[in-house]
Amino acid sequence: MYVLIFLFTPTTLATTRPMQNNKPPLPQAASKALIESISAFPHFTKEEVIASTPRNNEEWRNYVHARNSEQKKKIKKMKKELNVDVELMNINDVVVRKLTPKMITPEFEDKVYLDIHGGAFVLFGGLPSIEEGLLVAERLGIVVYSVDYRMPPTFPFPAALNDVVAVYNALLDQAGKGNVFVGGTSAGGSLVLSLVQSLITSKSPLPKAVYAGTPWADLTKTSDSLYINEGIDGVLVTYDGTLEAAAKLYAGKIALTDSAISPLYGSFEAFPPTLLVTGTRDMFLSDTVRVSRAIRDSGGVAQIEIFEGLSHAEYLIFYKTPESETTYRTMKSFFLSAN
Amino acid sequence: MYVLIFLFTPTTLATTRPMQNNKPPLPQAASKALIESISAFPHFTKEEVIASTPRNNEEWRNYVHARNSEQKKKIKKMKKELNVDVELMNINDVVVRKLTPKMITPEFEDKVYLDIHGGAFVLFGGLPSIEEGLLVAERLGIVVYSVDYRMPPTFPFPAALNDVVAVYNALLDQAGKGNVFVGGTSAGGSLVLSLVQSLITSKSPLPKAVYAGTPWADLTKTSDSLYINEGIDGVLVTYDGTLEAAAKLYAGKIALTDSAISPLYGSFEAFPPTLLVTGTRDMFLSDTVRVSRAIRDSGGVAQIEIFEGLSHAEYLIFYKTPESETTYRTMKSFFLSAN
């Protein structure tokens, strides 16, 4: 009887992989700057992440407030460092920040970039929404519009997607067909894919090219790297805590396998050229790989950049690393060569 | 004092990752055929691999003989299934097998493909050397020459590379500049990269395009996925046993960090268009990623194909999976579009 229980009960067993103090060894072949950034970044165990997961709307609001306050400090520091002008505005009733760099790349003079921030569909509203937009504006030399889309617990799906579609349509009217790029990281990358799928369905003009950085394209616990890189990815750590709770909070009454929630269950036919970025330690490595396969298998163009030893979105979080510089330099070339 | 020892001694600690009976869970989003192949493949632990590692030349010869005998059965079965004619010959004193498919793709009529087999630089001499060559010949519709290069323990470095260079030069003379493709998997992928580096150094005409499938491009224990995917990669399992011993056997008196042994320590300037293939569970995922970065950072073209839940070289080992079909279909398009 004990044997049967052992065989059929999912158990957590030790692996033989080398771990020191429950942390994986540092990635020796990553850049020196990335290794230093990883070393300095706080390390959380799976148990700690699960224990800190909000359990109700009030806990969510406190959690979001605390994380956003921390993030605001980083954004204020970045704003001082980068030559980008930030202008708060309303577009089609959605809060948007227009980011204008000092130097515009000549080929991007008539172009705009719609930036969709990440944060597991709940974090980084307000000023924190411009984190990646600032880097894109400065490093590509392009005018960026960062959407401050509505989020749960107050506004679950489809509020975020509706806001993104509304701003995209306004930018399309303003800049004209073939002049809009769209991009985002993590939950933002997922919303990029959902936006494109909804534009294809409604036969609307598509972005000239899109960027989906380590997109959270499947909100269920299906992708292999959610298992393999659990406890290895220093940013996400585990699916079983905040990620799973955030997915359910965002989806509300819709199933996580609905293609409007998880674009990997939708179609990738007729996608515009798509740049994907991930790392070997990324818990969304599999989501990114699956999106690249889906686009290529549908006859589209997907370019995938993978960085050695890089966890989820670290090319954005550690923006002073060569991995970060390479990401946005590649994005610039990718957009310049798109047609 | 105990605390100090605990902090500074490298220890193998349990991770929190979910493992059942010491095996990682099956990759749910891989193809059905790949999942079935993984399930049916024998599972070895790190300890078993280390225990079976040959300790001297006699043990190596027995190990190689046993593995090759097993592999020969697979090749004979593949030969019956595929419409490929196999002709044994000598080219510049090197044993080569010319593989001619029934159907030649019109664009490949004047082209040849030099195939460099894998097997950790010690395995798969003789008939087993044509495993990937058979698939390339049949699926691309191209004439393939598989090099049966010399190997340790009798012939350590540089015998293998010398043989590959000798056959490349003969094919170049025969087919003419711009008509030779080169490719290989694992140790074969590494030899592809070493061949190209040596051709660039000697200012010889380069292949039109190359394919390096999950190349063993750094023979030291540096790449992050050697640590992260240890015990996860069902094919390689661990670096610490046969892999490390084979690396040292091949290198002989040369350091593993010598660029002639580990092409990742050499230059990737002026590389021809390069197709790379790997999987999310591959212990050489990092080697593959680092090669793609090195080529792109040097201004070259590297296309990287990554498969969900795929361990080292499984696109070749499990040749009836969609992952395998996609690999060689992609190689065909890549070669057709190279110029």
Side-chain angles (χ1 to χ4, degrees):
Chain A
M1 194 52 191
Y2 279 116
V3 172
L4 274 175
I5 290 168
F6 176 74
L7 284 173
F8 293 101
T9 306
T11 47
T12 295
L13 291 183
T15 83
T16 59
R17 299 196 309 178
M19 301 277 276
Q20 273 189 284
N21 309 327
N22 250 324
K23 286 169 73 169
L26 290 165
Q28 306 167 54
S31 75
K32 217 171 167 179
L34 179 58
I35 293 172
E36 285 168 8
S37 301
I38 294 171
S39 306
F41 199 72
H43 173 75
F44 296 105
T45 63
K46 175 179 174 175
E47 290 68 27
E48 288 167 336
V49 171
I50 291 174
S52 73
T53 302
R55 312 279 158 187
N56 56 49
N57 285 359
E58 197 195 336
E59 285 186 23
W60 268 115
R61 288 195 179 92
N62 294 336
Y63 177 85
V64 168
H65 181 76
R67 293 286 305 270
N68 283 6
S69 301
E70 203 53 50
Q71 187 70 358
K72 256 185 213 166
K73 294 179 201 162
K74 183 186 180 186
I75 304 303
K76 285 181 179 165
K77 195 171 144 270
M78 286 176 77
K79 266 181 72 178
K80 275 185 199 161
E81 287 170 9
L82 301 168
N83 278 320
V84 177
D85 181 68
V86 181
E87 184 189 347
L88 190 65
M89 55 176 61
N90 248 275
I91 296 183
N92 277 349
D93 285 330
V94 182
V95 178
V96 172
R97 286 170 184 81
K98 180 182 180 185
L99 315 177
T100 309
K102 281 279 175 299
M103 298 275 289
I104 302 278
T105 301
E107 294 91 332
F108 291 152
E109 263 173 8
D110 57 348
K111 304 284 186 289
V112 296
Y113 177 97
L114 172 61
D115 166 53
I116 310 176
H117 73 85
F121 298 100
V122 282
L123 292 171
F124 307 149
L127 190 64
S129 66
I130 65 172
E131 183 183 20
E132 187 161 46
L134 285 173
L135 297 176
V136 171
E138 166 76 6
R139 294 183 181 170
L140 276 70
I142 192 168
V143 173
V144 170
Y145 291 84
S146 291
V147 195
D148 194 355
Y149 55 82
R150 290 168 296 159
M151 289 186 287
T154 312
F155 299 104
F157 176 87
L161 186 55
N162 287 346
D163 288 355
V164 166
V165 170
V167 176
Y168 175 81
N169 285 334
L171 292 181
L172 184 70
D173 283 348
Q174 174 199 309
K177 212 174 136 177
N179 289 327
V180 184
F181 297 107
V182 177
T185 282
S186 195
S190 187
L191 285 167
V192 167
L193 302 176
S194 293
L195 166 66
V196 172
Q197 288 178 338
S198 97
L199 295 173
I200 290 171
T201 302
S202 64
K203 300 198 164 102
S204 304
L206 300 182
K208 190 175 175 66
V210 302
Y211 152 68
T214 178
W216 195 8
D218 182 348
L219 274 62
T220 72
K221 193 173 179 182
T222 298
S223 273
D224 198 39
S225 57
L226 296 179
Y227 299 86
I228 302 306
N229 283 341
E230 179 173 83
I232 302 294
D233 182 324
V235 174
L236 294 179
V237 184
T238 180
Y239 176 85
D240 298 345
T242 319
L243 277 186
E244 183 178 17
K248 289 176 177 165
L249 191 72
Y250 169 66
K253 288 176 182 165
I254 317 290
L256 295 185
T257 50
D258 191 301
S259 63
I261 300 291
S262 293
L264 262 169
Y265 297 97
S267 166
F268 285 84
E269 289 284 341
F271 249 61
T274 303
L275 176 67
L276 301 159
V277 181
T278 182
T280 61
R281 292 186 170 199
D282 190 348
M283 277 183 59
F284 293 170
L285 168 64
S286 289
D287 277 30
T288 311
V289 163
R290 290 168 65 200
V291 170
S292 81
R293 288 252 60 85
I295 293 173
R296 290 177 184 177
D297 290 349
S298 304
V301 169
Q303 180 172 319
I304 183 162
E305 299 289 323
I306 313 186
F307 292 99
E308 164 73 343
L310 185 124
S311 292
H312 182 67
E314 285 182 341
Y315 59 84
L316 167 59
I317 298 168
F318 305 137
Y319 64 98
K320 290 181 180 175
T321 55
E323 285 81 355
S324 183
E325 298 285 351
T326 301
T327 295
Y328 300 101
R329 191 178 61 240
T330 302
M331 195 191 298
K332 185 176 178 177
S333 321
F334 187 77
F335 285 172
L336 284 173
S337 67
N339 51 47
Chain B
M1 192 55 191
Y2 279 117
V3 172
L4 275 175
I5 291 169
F6 175 74
L7 284 173
F8 293 101
T9 307
T11 47
T12 296
L13 291 182
T15 83
T16 58
R17 299 195 308 177
M19 302 278 275
Q20 272 190 283
N21 308 326
N22 249 322
K23 287 170 73 168
L26 290 166
Q28 305 167 54
S31 75
K32 218 172 167 178
L34 180 59
I35 293 172
E36 285 168 6
S37 300
I38 294 170
S39 306
F41 199 71
H43 173 74
F44 295 106
T45 64
K46 175 179 172 174
E47 290 69 26
E48 287 166 336
V49 171
I50 291 175
S52 73
T53 302
R55 312 282 157 186
N56 56 49
N57 285 359
E58 196 196 335
E59 284 186 23
W60 267 117
R61 288 196 178 90
N62 293 336
Y63 176 84
V64 168
H65 181 76
R67 291 286 305 270
N68 283 6
S69 301
E70 202 53 52
Q71 188 71 358
K72 256 186 214 166
K73 293 179 201 161
K74 184 186 180 187
I75 304 303
K76 284 181 180 166
K77 193 171 143 272
M78 285 176 76
K79 266 181 72 179
K80 274 186 201 158
E81 287 171 9
L82 301 168
N83 278 320
V84 177
D85 182 67
V86 181
E87 185 189 348
L88 189 66
M89 56 175 62
N90 249 275
I91 296 182
N92 279 348
D93 286 331
V94 181
V95 179
V96 172
R97 285 172 183 80
K98 180 182 180 184
L99 315 177
T100 310
K102 281 280 175 299
M103 299 275 289
I104 303 276
T105 301
E107 294 90 334
F108 290 152
E109 262 173 10
D110 57 348
K111 304 283 186 290
V112 295
Y113 177 97
L114 172 60
D115 166 53
I116 310 176
H117 73 85
F121 298 99
V122 282
L123 293 170
F124 307 150
L127 189 65
S129 65
I130 65 173
E131 182 184 19
E132 186 162 47
L134 286 173
L135 296 176
V136 171
E138 164 78 6
R139 294 184 181 170
L140 275 73
I142 192 169
V143 174
V144 170
Y145 292 84
S146 292
V147 195
D148 195 355
Y149 54 84
R150 289 168 297 159
M151 289 187 287
T154 311
F155 299 104
F157 176 87
L161 186 55
N162 287 346
D163 288 356
V164 166
V165 170
V167 176
Y168 175 81
N169 286 331
L171 292 181
L172 185 69
D173 283 348
Q174 175 200 307
K177 213 175 134 177
N179 289 326
V180 184
F181 297 108
V182 177
T185 282
S186 195
S190 188
L191 285 167
V192 167
L193 303 175
S194 293
L195 166 67
V196 172
Q197 288 178 337
S198 98
L199 296 173
I200 289 171
T201 301
S202 65
K203 300 198 163 101
S204 304
L206 300 181
K208 192 177 174 66
V210 302
Y211 151 68
T214 178
W216 195 9
D218 182 348
L219 275 61
T220 72
K221 193 173 179 180
T222 298
S223 273
D224 199 39
S225 56
L226 297 179
Y227 298 86
I228 303 307
N229 284 341
E230 179 173 80
I232 303 295
D233 181 325
V235 173
L236 295 179
V237 184
T238 179
Y239 176 85
D240 298 344
T242 320
L243 277 187
E244 183 178 18
K248 290 176 175 166
L249 191 72
Y250 169 66
K253 288 175 183 164
I254 317 292
L256 295 184
T257 50
D258 191 301
S259 62
I261 300 291
S262 294
L264 262 169
Y265 297 98
S267 166
F268 286 84
E269 289 284 340
F271 249 61
T274 304
L275 175 67
L276 301 159
V277 181
T278 183
T280 61
R281 293 186 170 200
D282 191 347
M283 277 184 58
F284 292 171
L285 168 65
S286 289
D287 277 29
T288 312
V289 163
R290 290 169 64 200
V291 170
S292 81
R293 290 251 60 83
I295 293 173
R296 289 177 185 176
D297 290 348
S298 303
V301 169
Q303 180 172 320
I304 184 163
E305 300 288 324
I306 312 186
F307 293 99
E308 164 74 343
L310 186 124
S311 292
H312 183 66
E314 285 182 341
Y315 58 84
L316 166 59
I317 298 167
F318 305 136
Y319 64 98
K320 290 183 180 173
T321 56
E323 286 81 356
S324 182
E325 298 285 352
T326 300
T327 295
Y328 300 101
R329 190 177 60 238
T330 301
M331 195 191 299
K332 185 175 179 179
S333 320
F334 188 77
F335 286 172
L336 285 173
S337 67
N339 49 47

